[in-house]
Amino acid sequence: MSKRKRLLFAFLTWAPLFAVVTEDVTAQEPGWKQVQRVGPPRMYSPSVERYRYGHTNVNNPDFYPIPQEPVTRATYMRWLETSGVLAYADRPERGQGGLAELLAALAKYVQTGDDRWGQACITMLRDFHRATVQEVAEKGWTEQFATPPALIPVYRRFLVDGGAMAPDEAWFRGLWLYYCRNLHVWNSEPIEWRGACHRSMPEALAKGLAAKWYPDIPEAAHWKHYAQQVWGDFWSVKDLQQNDTGYLQDSVRAYAFSGDQLLGDDRYLSDSGMRPLWERLAVEITPDGAINPYGPNGGWNSTAALRVGILERVAAATRDGRFRFAAHKAMQYLLYQVEPTLKDHYLTVTETAPYVALAYLFADDVLKPVRPDSGSCVNYRRETVRIPHTDKKIVGKYLKEIDPTPNRGHLCCNTAFTDRTFPNKLVLRSGWNPGDLFALVELMPTSFPYNAGGIMGLNRWGAPFTQVVTSKGGTPENRMHIVDLSGTAPRRYVDDPDLISEAWRRGKMEDMTSEVELFHDADCATVARIAVQNPEGLPVRYIREFVFAKNRFLASRETVVFEVGFDARVAALWNTQNVGPQIGAHWANTFISAPVASNGQIEMKTPPADLLVYFTPQAGWRMEVADRTEHDPRTEVTPAQVRYVWEGTTTSGQRLYSTQLYYPHTPSRARASTVDLGAKAVYRGGEIAATAGASGITVVRDTPETTLLLAAFDAGLREWTLFNPGGEAIQCEGFRTDARYGYIRSANHAMAACVMVEATFLEWNGQEIFQRQERQTIER
């Protein structure tokens, strides 16, 4: 069976694929009996080994093999020694690819002082120059914008420090000046691009270093000024334009590893204004050390090794052990993934080995790792807009001193910062312990592709439950998707004729904003409410509420308020690889067989865990299971989509909502009761296992104003989740309160944990828990 087919749905043979599911007509009839095939009748079988453990136990190394041993510089060197990348030093004439391939040899030179490693690096650099001269002869320029400015200064630094070369080597001077004089970062005629972007910043660093190292060259004054301009473009905002796990590495690595050689200090790493950026890179790391991809990306765990190298460097510069802790988490996960990584040249040589070598070169083992805060958080970023990149009058509205020379001073990536700040990510964290439940939610409204409110990652026991598409264009990712079926809904655009939309339409940038209306983090749960105005330019307000029960489940309620009526399709959706075998009329079991890395080329490892996706049932809504690849081949990494859909004509002021509960659990399947003919299919875990947990959920109340869910997944354990944003007084199931949001967990009828947000009273099981004159948030 081909890899692509394995990545499509892994349904067991009794579970219908691609389906529209309607409501149960009787309480006894299972929902899947009403399923009709509406797509290709593909059926696949998952590996039987994912069912063999019986329990999701992180203390069982067979189930959870992610290593937990301490990470030191010796760990990084062992990875380099066992990965095979040191063998590149045996034949160091590697062309332009040698910069990444020989960085391990540079680390070995620093470790041993053995000159053969240093000479291999010098031979590689000379051959890089040869290959660059050849490229220029063929094209008229070199387009190698990313790696040389980031890594060649690192080679120079450590080779000079070790005595393998002198600072004023004639051959190196020739290499660097030839490179800078022929660098065209967009593989086109223009040079000296502006903006805090992933091509302009490396170009400015390279030419600034040339001016500093060789002040006698005729370009020295001009290049120094150009480098200062681009540095100012960045330093005035101290943020990244790229909201992704792909392009961001080209924006940060050059200055993170070589910027101090231009600036003369480590301000890029240690300045207090840079702290929020580094903290963003750290808190996105899961408790198991993985990176959930988002935005344009290279696949599963992309930029993980980059973060190891950068966070080690940041930790050494700031003397903050929290960054070392995060770097070590990411490295432990990389050690777990070493086998599939080494199968792939790109993953090994481009994505991992250079940053492991840089981590070795810059880490400080004297600094001890310190566990960061274990709670959830919200972080923020500056807004970016897309504008015409060659119109210097327009670019001049955003940047200072635009070079009037033709083919200079163009805006890199058409992208500039505005003066607005928006929420960036909602990080829902149960802790930093192995296997802890974690979720990453996108909040930025104007990043491309748009996915504000979407769940970019959900993880438990080291397993991911979704993976976003590697794309530059929009794909709805685990959020409510609103479609204008009429094609007549008035779109709302920013009143600026120069702004360009995601679809590259000038003057048609959608007028979207987002805000975090409520956030409270308690020991047992996190509560948050976010709102997006005019999602994708539509005249609606989108609200998503979260109750994140730590190390238990994630509950969410999505509401859309129509400010103008139109024919619409509204779908709450979840993207995955597999649906089944358990499936009902408004819920389905899902799981990821293997997260996919290296731009769709390599299957990575994962402990086996399943996710129940449960929609509270509503009249007029239907559940669909769809193969996304039928309409968008980019979705092959997670081709299955489970969605709860409403279609109809809306009116101004109408509210539609969908409540979901996402419950991670141990995989289970039905087994034959006997080997004889007439055997029955039996779930060893009983009804809870047979329904993937859905039978344990009671919808106590579900209205546009209030949703109250009661979950009983485990014997003796009951959990209440409340969405009540209007603060209405409610009474049901021995539960009376006016809290806006709440979570209560009881064990054997005794309250074990509680958080009630903005409440004046709570009565539970006949007991008055608290009474207040004014609304307060109460934790127990």
Side-chain angles (χ1 to χ4, degrees):
M1 185 181 294
S2 71
K3 176 167 63 180
R4 183 177 184 275
K5 286 187 176 181
R6 290 198 310 271
L7 284 175
L8 290 172
F9 309 145
F11 260 90
L12 297 184
T13 56
W14 59 82
L17 205 49
F18 318 100
V20 177
V21 185
T22 58
E23 297 295 330
D24 288 319
V25 294
T26 69
Q28 293 76 30
E29 185 177 39
W32 64 261
K33 284 194 174 183
Q34 302 169 54
V35 173
Q36 297 177 353
R37 301 182 192 275
V38 296
R42 302 186 181 106
M43 301 172 72
Y44 301 106
S45 178
S47 168
V48 297
E49 292 196 17
R50 68 185 323 276
Y51 300 102
R52 70 187 179 93
Y53 295 102
H55 297 283
T56 47
N57 181 6
V58 297
N59 295 314
N60 177 0
D62 289 333
F63 169 78
Y64 186 88
I66 301 172
Q68 300 300 308
E69 291 79 11
V71 173
T72 65
R73 293 180 74 218
T75 307
Y76 301 134
M77 183 53 69
R78 280 196 300 273
W79 191 98
L80 296 171
E81 290 171 341
T82 58
S83 67
V85 294
L86 286 171
Y88 290 122
D90 296 336
R91 297 183 61 184
E93 297 88 353
R94 312 295 304 177
Q96 292 172 326
L99 295 177
E101 293 169 337
L102 268 289
L103 206 58
L106 181 67
K108 199 68 177 174
Y109 172 67
V110 171
Q111 180 201 38
T112 65
D114 188 336
D115 191 55
R116 74 182 181 95
W117 298 108
Q119 290 306 312
C121 293
I122 290 172
T123 299
M124 177 276 296
L125 290 171
R126 289 177 179 271
D127 196 60
F128 167 85
H129 178 57
R130 176 203 59 77
T132 302
V133 171
Q134 181 178 337
E135 182 190 11
V136 173
E138 295 170 353
K139 296 180 179 178
W141 51 63
T142 177
E143 61 174 303
Q144 305 301 314
F145 71 91
T147 306
L151 299 187
I152 290 178
V154 174
Y155 280 101
R156 180 181 186 272
R157 171 184 187 157
F158 286 103
L159 291 172
V160 169
D161 288 349
M165 64 176 278
D168 57 352
E169 294 275 2
W171 67 266
F172 186 88
R173 175 188 172 111
L175 176 158
W176 194 248
L177 294 181
Y178 186 87
Y179 169 74
C180 291
R181 287 167 176 160
N182 290 281
L183 177 59
H184 291 243
V185 298
W186 277 98
N187 194 27
S188 60
E189 187 65 36
I191 61 172
E192 297 179 11
W193 291 74
R194 289 289 302 276
C197 206
H198 74 292
R199 296 179 191 243
S200 53
M201 289 190 69
E203 180 183 13
L205 177 63
K207 292 177 177 178
L209 285 172
K212 184 173 184 177
W213 290 338
Y214 310 113
D216 59 323
I217 61 175
E219 304 97 333
H222 176 72
W223 281 356
K224 178 180 179 181
H225 180 64
Y226 166 63
Q228 290 171 341
Q229 285 181 310
V230 176
W231 172 251
D233 296 342
F234 169 79
W235 199 243
S236 62
V237 291
K238 299 182 182 68
D239 207 343
L240 299 179
Q241 293 181 347
Q242 292 76 20
N243 182 18
D244 61 32
T245 58
Y247 292 104
L248 80 89
Q249 63 184 337
D250 294 331
S251 292
V252 298
R253 63 179 168 184
Y255 278 86
F257 298 117
S258 296
D260 57 336
Q261 296 187 54
L262 174 64
L263 301 171
D265 55 44
D266 63 7
R267 78 188 82 160
Y268 183 81
L269 304 166
S270 63
D271 186 89
S272 61
M274 293 293 292
R275 185 63 63 95
L277 193 159
W278 307 134
E279 289 176 344
R280 288 201 319 242
L281 294 186
V283 299
E284 290 172 3
I285 297 171
T286 75
D288 308 291
I291 301 297
N292 290 295
Y294 57 87
N297 64 84
W300 179 249
N301 210 36
S302 55
T303 74
L306 167 82
R307 295 177 198 229
V308 173
I310 285 183
L311 292 176
E312 282 282 22
R313 182 113 217 245
V314 170
T318 61
R319 312 311 298 166
D320 189 335
R322 295 176 301 168
F323 295 118
R324 281 211 92 191
F325 182 97
H328 294 178
K329 273 287 183 182
M331 186 62 196
Q332 288 168 338
Y333 191 78
L334 286 171
L335 292 170
Y336 165 58
Q337 297 288 6
V338 68
E339 181 182 355
T341 296
L342 296 182
K343 290 180 182 178
D344 186 73
H345 183 269
Y346 172 79
L347 279 184
T348 303
V349 174
T350 303
E351 285 285 300
T352 309
Y355 301 117
V356 174
L358 289 164
Y360 176 84
L361 291 170
F362 290 108
D364 183 357
D365 280 345
V366 173
L367 181 67
K368 300 304 178 186
V370 175
R371 180 183 292 260
D373 184 90
S374 294
S376 302
C377 67
V378 176
N379 53 43
Y380 295 80
R381 72 184 311 130
R382 286 284 286 272
E383 181 191 35
T384 60
V385 290
R386 184 184 280 171
I387 60 176
H389 69 288
T390 60
D391 190 321
K392 296 184 180 182
K393 183 177 180 181
I394 296 174
V395 174
K397 296 177 182 179
Y398 296 88
L399 302 176
K400 299 176 180 178
E401 297 184 67
I402 304 301
D403 191 333
T405 307
N407 282 332
R408 290 186 182 177
H410 294 172
L411 182 64
C412 189
C413 287
N414 295 78
T415 305
F417 285 108
T418 74
D419 58 1
R420 297 198 298 181
T421 297
F422 282 117
N424 173 53
K425 297 289 187 299
L426 170 63
V427 181
L428 299 171
R429 182 182 297 278
S430 301
W432 283 97
N433 293 322
D436 280 350
L437 181 62
F438 177 89
L440 185 69
V441 181
E442 180 62 65
L443 301 180
M444 190 68 190
T446 56
S447 294
F448 306 143
Y450 168 82
N451 265 309
I455 299 172
M456 300 293 99
L458 184 63
N459 315 77
R460 181 76 158 114
W461 305 300
F465 297 115
T466 190
Q467 181 178 337
V468 305
V469 172
T470 299
S471 73
K472 291 186 179 181
T475 57
E477 301 287 357
N478 309 319
R479 60 170 172 85
M480 187 167 275
H481 188 214
I482 308 157
V483 179
D484 172 21
L485 296 176
S486 67
T488 61
R491 299 279 173 160
R492 293 174 174 174
Y493 301 112
V494 178
D495 186 18
D496 189 328
D498 299 326
L499 301 188
I500 301 171
S501 72
E502 181 173 355
W504 289 99
R505 296 193 301 160
R506 184 168 174 175
K508 300 293 185 180
M509 177 179 170
E510 293 85 356
D511 186 12
M512 299 181 289
T513 60
S514 67
E515 60 180 319
V516 177
E517 297 184 330
L518 182 146
F519 175 81
H520 182 81
D521 185 46
D523 289 342
C524 63
T526 304
V527 173
R529 182 176 66 239
I530 64 126
V532 180
Q533 187 64 42
N534 308 329
E536 299 180 279
L538 290 169
V540 301
R541 183 170 179 81
Y542 167 70
I543 300 158
R544 190 163 198 180
E545 304 155 287
F546 296 93
V547 176
F548 177 72
K550 296 187 177 182
N551 279 339
R552 296 298 297 161
F553 54 78
L554 172 62
S556 169
R557 199 167 80 142
E558 296 178 280
T559 302
V560 58
V561 182
F562 289 83
E563 298 176 353
V564 175
F566 56 90
D567 292 344
R569 178 188 299 120
V570 177
L573 56 88
W574 187 260
N575 298 324
T576 183
Q577 288 177 354
N578 307 281
V579 180
Q582 305 96 322
I583 185 169
H586 54 88
W587 57 267
N589 188 64
T590 68
F591 62 92
I592 298 292
S593 301
V596 183
S598 189
N599 294 301
Q601 302 300 311
I602 294 293
E603 292 182 354
M604 306 301 279
K605 297 192 293 185
T606 180
D610 285 9
L611 180 74
L612 168 68
V613 177
Y614 181 96
F615 305 101
T616 58
Q618 292 192 64
W621 292 66
R622 67 181 185 274
M623 195 174 85
E624 298 178 355
V625 180
D627 176 2
R628 296 199 292 166
T629 61
E630 291 299 303
H631 302 288
D632 188 348
R634 300 174 304 162
T635 61
E636 63 181 356
V637 297
T638 44
Q641 185 174 88
V642 182
R643 58 198 186 209
Y644 206 46
V645 182
W646 180 95
E647 287 186 21
T649 301
T650 64
T651 58
S652 177
Q654 184 173 354
R655 300 170 67 93
L656 294 171
Y657 74 99
S658 173
T659 306
Q660 311 102 38
L661 191 147
Y662 304 100
Y663 172 58
H665 60 95
T666 302
S668 58
R669 60 171 177 158
R671 301 299 307 280
S673 58
T674 175
V675 295
D676 296 327
L677 187 64
K680 304 294 184 182
V682 177
Y683 278 88
R684 189 168 59 180
E687 187 179 11
I688 287 290
T691 61
S695 63
I697 300 173
T698 301
V699 181
V700 181
R701 178 181 294 187
D702 192 30
T703 69
E705 294 74 30
T706 303
T707 297
L708 178 62
L709 305 177
L710 173 59
F713 298 125
D714 303 289
L717 195 65
R718 291 162 67 86
E719 297 166 280
W720 287 261
T721 302
L722 173 66
F723 299 92
N724 187 36
E728 172 189 351
I730 65 168
Q731 181 171 355
C732 44
E733 291 288 315
F735 189 98
R736 196 173 81 87
T737 188
D738 64 348
R740 299 189 190 279
Y741 299 92
Y743 171 73
I744 294 178
R745 183 168 65 244
S746 70
N748 299 318
H749 307 292
M751 183 179 289
C754 169
V755 57
M756 305 302 289
V757 176
E758 297 184 12
T760 63
F761 66 89
L762 171 63
E763 293 180 11
W764 179 77
N765 271 4
Q767 297 180 333
E768 181 179 287
I769 306 301
F770 64 82
Q771 185 85 33
R772 299 287 189 272
Q773 293 297 318
E774 297 180 352
R775 290 187 179 273
Q776 298 181 20
T777 295
I778 305 297
E779 299 180 32
R780 289 284 191 271

